[in-house]
Amino acid sequence: MNTKRRTAIVTGAARGIGAAIARRLAADGMAVAVIDLDESACADTTGSINDAGGTAMALAADVADEAAVNKAVAGVADALGPPTVLVNNAGVTRDDLLFKMTAQDWDTVVNVHLRGSFLMSRAVQGHMVEAGFGRIVNLSSTSALGNRGQANYAAAKAGLQGFTKTLAIELGRYGVTANAIAPGFIETEMTAATAQRLGMDFADLKKAAADQIAVGRTGRPDDIAHAAAFLAGEEAGFVSGQVLYVAGGPTN
Ligand code: NAD
């Protein structure tokens, strides 16, 4: 149980994994700021939190835009109090084999994941240090281990692991932990889009993926929300700089 009401920011929380994390942190007693590209797209997430008796607000920001990030974090601090929990979840894919990958597709993916997580963490860390408490959770991926067609995404997700460990080292003395979750296949619009790109039915892609997963099923956003709730919780203060693979089995 939280002894004190915390304010959390979850990026990319209009849908998918981010929405599940936002709902779970709110259910655990946190006030939650839902950040995504389009404020109106956040209405489902904030509406369900507020309907359940929680506190949520929506803000539009592109996490790769420095001015927008600083403005959004200041807005959260004003409206909900200093943010001391940050989940860097916003993400995009621009998959292609290396020889076809455009520089634009490289930059877009690296900017959203790496620059976005950097800008958000830098904007929030002052509030955490001042509070003597903070929890940063970054969304990596099993793709960090290498994945055909995802040179940009794999590099960004591996980069996030080094970023996470460095934040843990720099901020630990201020009561701030930083950890990464590396999901395997999770059923969201992101993986549905992958099926479309491959010319496959989503059900067939899920079945093919499940056949390769030890627990025999693909993941759901709530599987990641459970892990995020643990890492963001009060009691997880001695867990820092870790990468938790949430993938239904061991990873190589
Ligand atoms: P999703 O595409 O369903 O949702 C991503 C959200 O991020 C969207 O609401 C989108 O609008 C938002 N977003 C994108 N760019 C943004 C930006 N610049 N600024 C603010 N918001 C932005 O994806 P998801 O499957 O829910 O994935 C969430 C995170 O988990 C991502 O970081 C993704 O890379 C990671 N992940 C997903 C899977 C999976 O199988 N779905 C596996 C491993 C890791």
Side-chain angles (χ1 to χ4, degrees):
M1 288 295 291
N2 291 322
T3 49
K4 178 174 185 317
R5 172 166 254 210
R6 304 288 185 190
T7 295
I9 296 177
V10 186
T11 68
R15 68 183 199 202
I17 293 170
I21 294 173
R23 288 191 189 101
R24 173 59 191 266
L25 296 184
D28 286 354
M30 298 182 197
V32 179
V34 171
I35 292 184
D36 213 292
L37 288 170
D38 174 10
E39 189 178 320
S40 62
C42 300
D44 276 358
T45 309
T46 54
S48 61
I49 290 172
N50 290 324
D51 288 350
T55 302
M57 74 181 289
L59 291 102
D62 174 347
V63 295
D65 177 336
E66 185 173 19
V69 162
N70 291 338
K71 187 169 169 231
V73 171
V76 173
D78 281 349
L80 299 178
T84 53
V85 174
L86 170 65
V87 182
N88 285 309
N89 166 84
V92 290
T93 53
R94 295 286 185 276
D95 297 352
D96 230 329
L97 293 174
L98 177 64
F99 78 101
K100 288 192 286 184
M101 186 174 285
T102 65
Q104 175 72 55
D105 285 348
W106 175 273
D107 289 346
T108 298
V109 170
V110 169
N111 277 340
V112 174
H113 296 273
L114 278 180
R115 181 180 160 89
S117 298
F118 156 65
L119 291 174
M120 286 297 309
S121 301
R122 193 185 61 179
V124 165
Q125 58 81 31
H127 295 291
M128 295 177 167
V129 168
E130 201 171 316
F133 174 92
R135 299 281 183 264
I136 298 173
V137 179
N138 297 318
L139 268 289
S140 180
S141 167
T142 50
S143 294
L145 302 165
N147 198 25
R148 183 180 166 82
Q150 290 197 314
N152 48 4
Y153 186 81
K157 292 306 199 185
L160 272 174
Q161 298 189 8
F163 176 66
T164 301
K165 291 174 193 194
T166 302
L167 295 189
I169 292 166
E170 290 190 14
L171 298 173
R173 71 189 60 190
Y174 304 105
V176 179
T177 65
N179 292 285
I181 297 173
F185 189 114
I186 309 297
E187 300 163 14
T188 68
E189 290 187 42
M190 184 178 274
T191 40
T194 303
Q196 200 171 23
R197 185 178 57 82
L198 297 172
M200 284 176 81
D201 212 51
F202 192 30
D204 293 338
L205 181 67
K206 282 192 283 188
K207 182 165 185 327
D211 288 345
Q212 305 298 314
I213 296 172
V215 301
R217 68 167 176 89
T218 47
R220 294 180 280 268
D222 280 343
D223 290 315
I224 305 306
H226 287 306
F230 165 68
L231 293 171
E234 302 287 321
E235 301 86 351
F238 207 55
V239 181
S240 197
Q242 301 305 303
V243 180
L244 178 60
Y245 282 85
V246 182
T251 46
N252 57 356

